[in-house]
């Protein structure tokens, strides 16, 4: 345990009377709506979202990175930080590694190390959007879609290595996001690049073991600014359908033009049985990677409305993977990730409270206002007591960020982890 259970217990005890009062009041309110609060608590307890290993380090922008105190130096430190998040929130049971950032020599040992914190592994992310020190050929002009076959082959080999690592870690999927694209009209053939990508991805797909999925992540722009090879869910779906049933489409909230109806994209991908899952964050303009629910919690709720609806009706092939994908520039990343885990669980629970029967009836009757009010009732319910109850029943904290601050964890690890000086640019 990274924080003493006694400390968590005494902090929880200090708010017990107030919490029980609020939980009881919410329970009575839900009973009047025909909802059993215990069933909702059970759903909240079963919920989990993966934490990206890179999220526990301070991110940055294209301009600068301002390192924080006690930054994780390697995957071992990152696992400890993720363990801390899980210990207090009890809703982040897996971590998603990025290769080669998290490369080690013994993945079985890494798996055991993670298990000691109660953590398993989610999708392995490949990285062909940067050059590594020991790399023979550069990805400056692209990787899997590069015009040069030797560069494509190198990118394929990296993805094959990621599959092997995924097998050793027990990861359910390989996530492929590439930065390939162009900055100038005429720089490359738009068609040829997509064809190159598809043939390279075929080689990667062929190496997937039966139980492992391939998640194709689209993003509209950045680092390429004129055209991006897998820019949207249409290109992603075309690729997934060309590759085969193990290939699915991953939606990252920040990877669309402003105001795009992302919940409708979710509905479409659910319809074709190709929704891989979600990368949660929030954004105002682009791939801002802000904390989930910090800008537009209603949009997050609307996404969850589609996800919960698909879950409850048992949509075919619906088994999404959920991950947080954020960059923390001005906060302690552990606090941001804990806060985000809570906000994501909140949207899930709020969406679980929507009266689906009443909603279907209002839609059937074309009663627009009744339909909207029924949907909104879920969003307008303060489910904080349910979230707190679910955490505490599993040994987590009533207020994870307050407990983390009280523990002095950051100060403690700052003594072991030397300060990183200077500023460099961050990740994309
Ligand atoms: C990308 C994308 C990927 C993530 C990288 C670091 O924009 O969101 O999921 O692995 O950033
Ligand atoms: Mn992402
Ligand atoms: Mn992104």
């Amino acid at each position: 345990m990274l924080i003493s259970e006694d400390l968590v217990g005494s902090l929880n005890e200090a708010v017990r009377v107030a919490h029980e009062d609020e939980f009881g009041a919410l329970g009575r309110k839900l009973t009047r709506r025909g909802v059993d609060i215990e069933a909702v608590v059970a759903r909240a307890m079963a919920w989990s979202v993966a934490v990206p290993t890179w999220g526990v380090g301070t991110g940055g922008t294209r301009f600068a990175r301002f390192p924080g105190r006690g930054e994780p130096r390697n995957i071992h430190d990152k696992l400890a930080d993720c363990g801390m998040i899980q210990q207090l929130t009890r809703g982040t049971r897996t971590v998603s590694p990025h290769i080669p950032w998290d490369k080690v020599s013994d993945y079985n040992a890494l798996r055991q190390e993670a298990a000691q914190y109660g953590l398993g592994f989610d999708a392995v992310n490949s990285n062909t959007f940067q050059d590594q020190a020991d790399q023979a050929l550069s990805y400056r002009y692209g990787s899997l879609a590069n015009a040069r076959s030797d560069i494509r082959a190198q990118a394929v080999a990296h993805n094959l290595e990621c599959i092997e690592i995924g097998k050793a870690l027990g990861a359910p999927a390989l996530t492929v996001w590439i930065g390939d694209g162009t900055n100038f009209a005429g720089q490359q053939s738009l068609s040829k690049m997509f064809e190159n990508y598809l043939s390279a991805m075929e080689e990667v797909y062929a190496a997937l073991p039966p139980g492992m999925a391939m998640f194709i992540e689209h993003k509209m722009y950045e680092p390429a600014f004129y055209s991006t090879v897998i820019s949207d869910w249409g290109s992603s779906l075309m690729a997934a359908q060309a590759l085969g049933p193990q290939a699915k489409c991953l939606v990252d909230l920040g990877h669309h033009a402003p105001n795009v109806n992302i919940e409708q994209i979710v509905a479409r991908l659910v319809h074709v049985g190709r929704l891989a899952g979600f990368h949660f964050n929030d954004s105002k303009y682009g791939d801002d990677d802000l904390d989930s629910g910090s800008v537009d919690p209603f949009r997050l709720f609307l996404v969850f409305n589609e996800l919960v609806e698909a879950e409850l009706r048992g949509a075919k092939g619906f088994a999404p993977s959920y991950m947080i994908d954020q960059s923390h520039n001005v906060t302690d990343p552990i606090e941001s990730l804990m806060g985000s885990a809570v906000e994501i669980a909140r949207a899930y629970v709020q969406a679980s409270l929507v009266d689906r029967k009443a909603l279907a009836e209002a839609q059937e009757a074309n009663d627009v206002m009744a339909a909207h009010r029924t949907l909104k009732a879920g969003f307008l319910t303060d489910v904080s007591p349910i979230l707190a109850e679910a955490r505490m029943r599993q040994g987590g904290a009533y207020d994870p960020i307050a407990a983390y601050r009280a523990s002095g964890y950051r100060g403690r690890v700052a003594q072991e982890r030397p300060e990183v000086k200077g500023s460099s640019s961050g990740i994309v």
Side-chain angles (χ1 to χ4, degrees), residues 147-224:
R148 275 176 52 179
S149 63
D150 54 348
I151 297 177
R152 294 200 299 276
Q154 179 181 278
V156 167
H158 167 71
N159 277 281
L160 299 187
E161 186 191 357
C162 290
I163 291 176
E164 290 308 310
I165 293 170
K167 284 190 207 164
L169 292 176
L174 165 74
T175 297
V176 185
W177 172 73
I178 55 164
D180 293 37
T182 63
N183 278 18
F184 288 85
Q187 181 182 334
Q188 284 293 333
S189 150
L190 300 181
S191 314
K192 190 82 189 127
M193 280 190 106
F194 190 55
E195 283 159 22
N196 284 341
Y197 170 82
L198 284 180
S199 54
M201 284 289 267
E202 271 167 25
E203 289 181 55
V204 179
Y205 186 89
L208 288 173
M212 194 182 281
M214 172 190 267
F215 293 170
I216 301 171
E217 182 177 3
H218 63 271
K219 168 156 132 169
M220 191 178 66
Y221 71 95
E222 195 198 24

Side-chain angles (χ1 to χ4, degrees), residues 370-407:
H372 181 66
R373 278 161 53 93
T374 304
L375 181 67
K376 208 77 185 286
F379 179 68
L380 292 176
T381 308
D382 180 2
V383 299
S384 304
I386 293 175
L387 300 174
E389 182 70 15
R391 280 194 297 276
M392 289 191 288
R393 281 194 200 175
Q394 298 178 92
Y398 172 80
D399 182 340
I401 293 178
Y404 167 73
R405 289 189 172 193
S407 78

